[in-house]
Amino acid sequence: MTYPIDIWLRGTDYATTRESTTASEPAAWTDADVEIVLKDMLRAVDREKNPKSEERPVFLRGFSWIVNPYQDGGVVIAIELQAGAAVAGPFDIGRQELEQMVTRVMTQGQVPPGVH
């Protein structure tokens, strides 16, 4: 499936749209597919900000995210980070289902709060 990623860089007054792909349709996504989409979104922002740099490792931390309904149906994933923002979709998947997958992906590997 091919989907758009709209990218806005902080300090600019325009957005750029890039395309990305997933191996399966959103209704069949697993947490691994959602992780790929989130990383593709972060890479899209980095490529827009640093077009001549080599691809760098991506870590799923340091940004805010939300899953929102899209005006024509489906849902979008929106992320905001210091460099700017990106919105991917729309995707034909339930909002709650996608929110749960993003939440699981974002919390993988995090140390629970407490005294260490």
Side-chain angles (χ1 to χ4, degrees):
M1 169 195 183
T2 301
Y3 60 92
I5 301 174
D6 297 325
I7 305 146
W8 169 79
L9 295 179
R10 198 166 306 283
T12 65
D13 60 356
Y14 62 91
T16 305
T17 302
R18 301 286 183 233
E19 287 190 339
S20 194
T21 59
T22 62
S24 59
E25 292 296 317
W29 279 356
T30 65
D31 290 359
D33 296 307
V34 171
E35 180 177 353
I36 290 168
V37 171
L38 291 169
K39 287 182 176 183
D40 282 350
M41 293 173 72
L42 293 170
R43 282 190 182 101
V45 171
D46 188 55
R47 277 190 219 108
E48 196 66 26
K49 185 170 175 64
N50 305 296
K52 294 182 181 181
S53 71
E54 293 184 23
E55 196 163 289
R56 298 184 281 187
V58 175
F59 301 97
L60 297 179
R61 60 177 183 240
F63 64 92
S64 300
W65 63 271
I66 190 169
V67 175
N68 269 338
Y70 185 68
Q71 61 197 15
D72 295 330
V75 295
V76 296
I77 301 172
I79 63 172
E80 183 179 5
L81 52 156
Q82 189 170 0
V87 178
F91 303 111
D92 188 17
I93 188 172
R95 179 180 179 182
Q96 186 174 13
E97 181 181 1
L98 185 54
E99 283 178 345
Q100 291 171 350
M101 284 192 278
V102 172
T103 299
R104 284 192 301 268
V105 168
M106 293 298 296
T107 58
Q108 286 177 353
Q110 289 185 1
V111 176
V115 178
H116 299 282

